[in-house]
């Protein structure tokens, strides 16, 4: 899918006049051309924050509210420009230029906000496919409460679909397992995280996980922990059968 950030950062046609200069607008705050670029900085800042982050930046509620306030102010400016002109067909050229300019500014900010929110929601959805239900705390802490609620609802919808996709199956179909085609059914893993304790698996029984342990287990039992970075797959040149155990 196309990255929503790229579309939002495309130049806006119609803002600049000849030579790239913005038209002067009589009777409005935009009569000060030096102030106009500041309109776009906050919306673009949100997208640049996404670009700089390794995963997602902290949800920037403050800047989002400031961008929304800019849009409301620009809308009020448009209303003030036309309030003395009942017939829009005969409005002066400078008023028409002002309407075009403010409308483009509102559209630009709207695209930036939608790109910011849509990109974050895509990352939230990808969490389920990458790490399952075990979301690392550092990632969970970067989400807004509404994004956490979205993650919960997305999980519920996906779980419901997987349980009903093949009604006759004894176990629900797990679409999130095996993100890549597995080369082997059983894998050797090394435990990277502290305090994981014992887990009950479908095929390997009870598996005790302590940092530094190396275990031989069925990949489907441990796939979600590999993706979450809590255990790592130890690549070997050959596959030996065996039961789960620790050294």
């Amino acid at each position: 899918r196309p990255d929503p950030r790229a579309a939002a950062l495309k130049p806006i046609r119609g803002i600049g006049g000849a030579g790239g200069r913005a038209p002067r607008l009589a009777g409005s705050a935009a009569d000060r051309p030096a102030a106009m670029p500041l309109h776009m900085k906050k919306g673009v800042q949100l997208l640049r924050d996404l670009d700089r982050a390794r995963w997602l930046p902290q949800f920037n509620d403050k800047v989002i509210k400031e961008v929304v306030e800019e849009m409301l102010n620009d809308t009020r400016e448009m209303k003030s420009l036309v309030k003395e002109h009942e017939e829009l067909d005969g409005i002066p050229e400078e008023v028409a230029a002002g309407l075009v300019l403010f409308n483009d500014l509102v559209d630009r900010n709207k695209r930036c906000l939608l790109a910011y929110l849509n990109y974050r929601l895509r990352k939230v959805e990808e969490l389920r496919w990458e790490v399952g239900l075990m979301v690392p705390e550092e990632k969970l802490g970067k989400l807004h409460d509404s994004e956490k609620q979205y993650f919960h609802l997305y999980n519920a919808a996906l779980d419901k679909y997987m349980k009903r996709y093949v009604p006759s199956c004894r176990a629900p179909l797990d679409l999130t397992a095996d993100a890549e085609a597995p080369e082997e059914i059983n894998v050797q893993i090394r435990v990277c995280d502290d305090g994981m304790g014992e887990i009950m698996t479908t095929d390997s029984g009870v598996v005790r996980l302590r940092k530094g342990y190396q275990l031989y287990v069925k990949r489907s039992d441990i796939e979600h922990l590999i993706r979450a970075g809590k255990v790592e797959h130890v690549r070997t040149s050959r596959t030996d059968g065996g039961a789960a155990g620790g050294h």
Side-chain angles (χ1 to χ4, degrees), residues 107-121:
D107 282 347
R108 168 69 171 246
N109 274 332
K110 186 188 299 183
R111 289 207 305 271
C112 287
L113 284 182
L114 291 176
Y116 179 80
L117 297 173
N118 186 47
Y119 182 83
R120 292 182 66 92
L121 288 184

Side-chain angles (χ1 to χ4, degrees), residues 8-54:
L9 285 171
K10 286 182 180 178
I12 297 175
R13 285 173 280 181
I15 286 186
R21 293 172 296 179
R24 291 182 63 82
L25 313 176
S28 76
D31 208 21
R32 301 184 296 275
M36 294 308 299
L38 297 177
H39 261 71
M40 307 177 218
K41 283 190 174 181
K42 292 173 182 175
V44 174
Q45 176 192 328
L46 291 172
L47 301 185
R48 286 177 175 162
D49 287 346
L50 292 179
D51 215 31
R52 286 191 291 260
R54 293 183 61 185

Side-chain angles (χ1 to χ4, degrees), residues 101-169:
L101 177 58
F102 282 118
N103 185 67
D104 282 342
L105 289 173
V106 170
D107 282 347
R108 168 69 171 246
N109 274 332
K110 186 188 299 183
R111 289 207 305 271
C112 287
L113 284 182
L114 291 176
Y116 179 80
L117 297 173
N118 186 47
Y119 182 83
R120 292 182 66 92
L121 288 184
R122 279 172 52 182
K123 286 292 188 181
V124 170
E125 291 176 4
E126 288 170 6
L127 272 180
R128 174 60 190 269
W129 298 89
E130 291 173 359
V131 301
L133 298 174
M134 301 180 66
V135 182
E137 283 298 324
E138 63 270 17
K139 290 189 174 182
L140 202 60
K142 294 182 183 297
L143 301 182
H144 189 271
D145 287 343
S146 59
E147 292 174 326
K148 295 176 185 177
Q149 178 68 7
Y150 180 83
F151 181 67
H152 172 73
L153 295 174
Y154 182 80
N155 284 338
L158 184 59
D159 288 340
K160 183 178 179 180
Y161 176 78
M162 292 190 297
K163 288 175 182 176
R164 297 186 179 183
Y165 184 73
V166 186
S168 59
C169 285

